[in-house]
Amino acid sequence: MFLYVLSREHVDVSDVAKQAEQELKGKKVVVVGDVPYMHMLDEIAQHIRAEHVAVARIPVQNHVYTPTQQNSSHIAPGRLWSELAGPASDYSMLYIGEESPTLTNLLVTMRLQSAFSYQPSLKQLRLESSKVNRHLGQRYHMVQRVKDAN
C-alpha cells in the first residue's frame, strides 16, 4: 500500500478573479488545477464572472482515486468535470498551477476554445500556446522531426 502526501498551496483568489475577468468575461470557463491547488478550485470558480463556470477535479472518493464514476458529469483525462452547459468544445480552460507536464497533457488532450494558465508564484495569467509553453513547444518540435523523418 502506498501513502501519498500532497501539499496544499495557497492562491490569491481575488487576483485570479480580477485577471481572469479581463480575459474570460462572457465565455464559458472550466477551472482546472494542479494537485496542490485542488482545494481552492471551488472558491476560485465562485469568484470568476463568466457565462458559465465548471470545475474539473481529480475524482477521489474516501481518499481513493476512482477513475470511473457513473453520473452526468463529463470525464476528461483523469478529471471529472462538474455540469457543463453545452459541449466541452465551447469552453475555455483556466489552469491554476505552474507550467508542467500536467498542463501540457491537458492542452494536448482537451479540445477547448482557448486555454489560460495562472501561475500563483508569479501572479500571472497568460494565454497558452506552443510559443510560451516550453513543454508544448518541445512536443511540437518532436512531432515535426518525426514528420520530417518519413
Side-chain angles (χ1 to χ4, degrees), residues 16-120:
V16 175
K18 186 175 83 173
Q19 290 189 45
E21 185 175 344
Q22 296 171 3
E23 297 291 339
L24 300 169
K25 193 172 187 176
K27 295 182 179 181
K28 294 179 181 178
V29 179
V30 61
V31 180
V32 184
D34 205 357
V35 174
Y37 306 102
M38 281 291 173
H39 69 286
M40 301 283 297
L41 296 184
D42 288 322
E43 185 179 350
I44 291 168
Q46 289 174 356
H47 286 83
I48 293 175
R49 292 187 182 136
E51 182 182 329
H52 183 265
V53 180
V55 177
R57 50 180 71 75
I58 297 173
V60 177
Q61 186 175 15
N62 297 330
H63 305 288
V64 177
Y65 174 69
T66 54
T68 56
Q69 292 187 4
Q70 302 297 324
N71 63 17
S72 59
S73 297
H74 176 76
I75 297 178
R79 313 244 172 200
L80 185 68
W81 295 22
S82 59
E83 294 297 323
L84 300 179
S89 59
D90 290 348
Y91 281 76
S92 293
M93 177 177 71
L94 173 60
Y95 177 82
I96 309 297
E98 306 300 323
E99 184 177 317
S100 66
T102 301
L103 173 59
T104 304
N105 182 37
L106 291 169
L107 291 171
V108 171
T109 57
M110 296 171 68
R111 298 205 182 272
L112 300 167
Q113 279 188 354
S114 58
F116 293 86
S117 68
Y118 179 82
Q119 296 180 4

Side-chain angles (χ1 to χ4, degrees), residues 98-105 107-108 117 119 126-143:
E98 306 300 323
E99 184 177 317
S100 66
T102 301
L103 173 59
T104 304
N105 182 37
L107 291 171
V108 171
S117 68
Q119 296 180 4
R126 71 177 185 186
L127 177 64
E128 288 296 326
S129 70
S130 61
K131 293 179 182 172
V132 296
N133 185 309
R134 183 175 53 90
H135 295 287
L136 199 57
Q138 288 173 347
R139 182 180 173 93
Y140 177 78
H141 177 71
M142 292 302 292
V143 167

